[in-house]
Amino acid sequence: MADNADSKASERRQTIRWNFRISNIDAMLSNVAVGMVTPFIPVFAIALGGSNTEVGLITAVPAFINMLMYLPAASFVERGGSRLKITVRTLLVARLLYLAMAVVPFVPWPQYRAAMLIGILGVQTIPNVIMAVAWTALLGDMFPQEERAHLFAMRNMYSAFVALISSLAAGVLLDRIPYPANYMTLFSISFITGMVALQYCAKLIEGPIRPRPASRRSVAERLRQPFADPECGRKFSVFAISAALLHLGINIAVPAYSIYHVRTLHLSNSVIGSLSLAAGLTTVLAYPLWGRLSRRAGHSVVYLLSILAYAPFPALYGMHGSVTYLLALQASIGFFNAGFALTILNLTLQHVKPEDSANGIAVFNMLINATGVLGPPLAAFVVSRYGVTSAFVLSTIVRAAGCIVYIVASGTDDTFVRLHKTLSPSALRRRRLNRKTRGVL
């Protein structure tokens, strides 16, 4: 009996190791597209002749479709059987659309090129949102909760490293190759690496497929469930409201950054890529540190430290246009980007029940994407009426509100006591002396 239990435990550990290795390869290849394409989509829109409003719509339109699609996507994933098969099929569709983006500069109607890019991004959002729900739920199934902080931190570190190298290479490529061949090359590389990544994604070992629900839930029931759950509801509510305010502040700043870089400071593509590199490099280096801290002090402490750094960043960013100053700020915020990205995923999985994970993830992401609908148009309005600096100040105010919600709901005294216990020299010494716990890797 004991031998049988040991055999099953050993098999389980081997499966986790296999999934960890394969998902890392998949993540690194997939992040070639993230690093090459994502930072330069707004710049591409400007090159196509897009207005400030159209640059804002680059973020707003996908976010709006995300908001509409998340609950239907959750229902589809719940009733679709294998989450791995859903992930692979939707990724295939999404990555084929990189080829469509590559030909936009050759459309014979220049006045419609930016609008066509926005339309393609909107269509790409549909498979992406289904994939996001299926993939996040699949991660929760593949890796045990007690190991996620370490495993996800290492996975994020590897993928972020590839993303930042890709971003730097993309900036050089865009400057060295004439327009529009440079963007065509960029999207083609992203498509090819994405197809290779799919081959590895399909090799993951999925756990037992969850039974399909016997009946459909109404939209109102789906929206209410994560907030009303007697066990997780209050924590989910506080985290969701705080994260939504933080993301609203982020989405106000995103289009403002591109306008600030290109139209205010007239930075080259290489310099813009270097700014992403500065943030990305410290993000890569910080992931293991945040993973260890999260494992020992808890995800909520890491989240709080990250959002406290996030709040003043946009206002500070708009204070001076020196490239050296901007590089220093990007390098500083990159350290906290790692903690924020790590805890958003972990806290989302932690604050929903495993049996309702697809729906809880969908509701959370729908709320976050609602901020993506509101943020960019608001940023475009503020930039047009009052300037880029005012958009940065507004972003800081909204982010600070997200910090206040989380601190007040957690209890001001308890929050700072936890921070002191986590960061005090005696606590750090104790953790160094007690490093005996080993993960499955």
Side-chain angles (χ1 to χ4, degrees), residues 33-102:
V34 172
M36 281 195 155
V37 173
T38 305
F40 297 102
I41 283 287
V43 181
F44 183 39
I46 293 172
L48 292 171
S51 63
N52 286 351
T53 299
E54 286 173 321
V55 172
L57 289 175
I58 290 291
T59 303
V61 168
F64 180 69
I65 296 173
N66 268 327
M67 185 179 67
L68 296 179
M69 280 294 300
Y70 261 111
L71 289 182
S75 178
F76 179 80
V77 170
E78 286 177 350
R79 307 180 73 84
S82 170
R83 291 170 175 178
L84 179 58
K85 288 181 180 178
I86 292 172
T87 299
V88 171
R89 290 168 184 169
T90 51
L91 276 174
L92 174 61
V93 175
R95 286 168 182 173
L96 283 169
L97 289 168
Y98 282 131
L99 298 179
M101 294 182 201

Side-chain angles (χ1 to χ4, degrees), residues 84-364:
L84 179 58
K85 288 181 180 178
I86 292 172
T87 299
V88 171
R89 290 168 184 169
T90 51
L91 276 174
L92 174 61
V93 175
R95 286 168 182 173
L96 283 169
L97 289 168
Y98 282 131
L99 298 179
M101 294 182 201
V103 301
V104 170
F106 303 98
V107 171
W109 304 283
Q111 67 273 27
Y112 298 121
R113 288 172 184 168
M116 287 188 68
L117 175 64
I118 294 167
I120 294 169
L121 289 169
V123 173
Q124 190 183 49
T125 301
I126 296 172
N128 274 339
V129 71
I130 298 172
M131 179 276 298
V133 174
W135 177 246
T136 307
L138 182 63
L139 285 177
D141 292 342
M142 288 194 301
F143 301 115
Q145 182 174 333
E146 63 274 12
E147 298 293 343
R148 287 175 194 159
H150 171 64
L151 297 177
F152 290 178
M154 297 304 295
R155 182 178 179 276
N156 288 355
M157 181 186 71
Y158 298 140
S159 58
F161 176 75
V162 172
L164 76 90
I165 294 299
S166 300
S167 180
L168 180 63
V172 174
L173 183 150
L174 290 173
D175 284 338
R176 296 281 178 88
I177 301 176
Y179 175 86
N182 52 0
Y183 282 101
M184 189 173 183
T185 304
L186 205 68
F187 290 121
S188 298
I189 293 171
S190 298
F191 169 74
I192 292 168
T193 55
M195 290 297 101
V196 177
L198 273 183
Q199 300 298 315
Y200 284 95
C201 184
K203 295 179 181 179
L204 291 168
I205 299 173
E206 187 175 11
I209 296 174
R210 296 180 183 274
R212 299 181 181 186
S215 60
R216 294 179 181 270
R217 287 182 284 178
S218 68
V219 172
E221 288 175 324
R222 286 187 173 278
L223 288 171
R224 189 179 63 85
Q225 177 60 36
F227 296 97
D229 185 86
E231 183 180 341
C232 303
R234 184 182 180 278
K235 290 182 179 180
F236 179 86
S237 301
V238 170
F239 171 60
I241 293 169
S242 170
L245 287 169
L246 262 294
H247 279 85
L248 178 58
I250 291 168
N251 283 308
I252 290 171
V254 165
Y257 290 139
S258 298
I259 294 167
Y260 186 55
H261 292 156
V262 176
R263 290 186 172 150
T264 303
L265 302 180
H266 307 289
L267 302 180
S268 68
N269 289 320
S270 295
V271 172
I272 294 171
S274 298
L275 293 173
S276 296
L277 175 66
L281 184 60
T282 52
T283 298
V284 169
L285 297 174
Y287 268 120
L289 300 175
W290 287 119
R292 286 197 293 271
L293 181 61
S294 184
R295 193 173 183 179
R296 291 169 181 137
H299 303 312
S300 60
V301 169
V302 173
Y303 176 73
L304 181 58
L305 288 171
S306 302
I307 64 177
L308 286 173
Y310 261 41
F313 177 75
L316 294 173
Y317 201 76
M319 288 178 64
H320 200 285
S322 163
V323 173
T324 303
Y325 175 78
L326 298 181
L327 284 169
L329 277 182
Q330 289 282 6
S332 300
I333 201 62
F335 179 82
F336 295 96
N337 284 343
F340 186 73
L342 183 63
T343 51
I344 283 289
L345 175 58
N346 281 320
L347 285 174
T348 304
L349 291 170
Q350 181 176 304
H351 292 332
V352 296
K353 287 187 173 180
E355 60 269 22
D356 194 45
S357 61
N359 183 64
I361 291 163
V363 171
F364 177 80

